[in-house]
Amino acid sequence: KHFQHAGMDVEFFCLEWFIALFSKTLPTPTLLRVWDSIFLEGYKIIFRIALAVLQMSEKELLAVTEPHEIFQAVQGLGKGLLDADKLMTTSFGFQLKRVQVEQLREIHRQAVDAEVKARAESREARTT
């Protein structure tokens, strides 16, 4: 809700986390531990790690209210997470079932498909 109130979508920073598998976010020793977990646990751990990074940074994030301050705070998320054990413990504290992830993925996939179709139709209308 804090991000929404500031006019920021979590996709703004989570997209990079998910595409780069946190390689631009976490210190190398922590990153390697996360990657080990991804290989062992599957894609579900990616969401757990993202939630853990946010939870572990909650105090800092809630301390800023202006969009540009939140933007700056988000850019630094995860950089100081040197305690891989704490990150992993926090991430496994989230009850996240594969079925939930798949349901949310399908909901959002439909929205993405609709947006792609609308953009394609808009481009086609401009070129004709």
Side-chain angles (χ1 to χ4, degrees), residues 101-117:
V101 172
E102 290 172 2
Q103 288 171 341
L104 289 169
R105 176 184 281 158
E106 187 56 36
I107 289 168
H108 292 285
R109 179 179 294 142
Q110 291 171 6
V112 168
D113 289 346
E115 184 175 333
V116 167
K117 182 179 178 183

Side-chain angles (χ1 to χ4, degrees), residues 15-87:
L15 184 62
E16 182 177 300
W17 291 355
F18 297 159
I19 289 174
L21 295 175
F22 301 98
S23 64
K24 297 180 179 182
T25 306
L26 299 172
T28 301
T30 306
L31 175 64
L32 295 176
R33 191 72 184 282
V34 167
W35 284 357
D36 283 346
S37 294
I38 291 170
F39 291 126
L40 289 170
E41 302 290 331
Y43 65 85
K44 187 169 64 170
I45 191 67
I46 297 170
F47 300 105
R48 285 184 170 158
I49 295 296
L51 291 170
V53 169
L54 290 171
Q55 184 177 46
M56 293 173 71
S57 306
E58 182 177 25
K59 193 179 286 186
E60 295 84 2
L61 291 171
L62 292 177
V64 294
T65 56
E66 296 297 320
H68 70 279
E69 293 173 325
I70 294 173
F71 176 79
Q72 287 178 329
V74 164
Q75 296 299 309
L77 285 180
K79 303 274 190 243
L81 293 176
L82 298 171
D83 189 346
D85 290 336
K86 184 175 181 183
L87 178 64

Side-chain angles (χ1 to χ4, degrees), residues 1-25:
K1 290 183 182 184
H2 185 64
F3 293 117
Q4 289 174 339
H5 182 69
M8 280 182 83
D9 290 328
V10 293
E11 292 90 355
F12 170 73
F13 54 89
C14 285
L15 184 62
E16 182 177 300
W17 291 355
F18 297 159
I19 289 174
L21 295 175
F22 301 98
S23 64
K24 297 180 179 182
T25 306

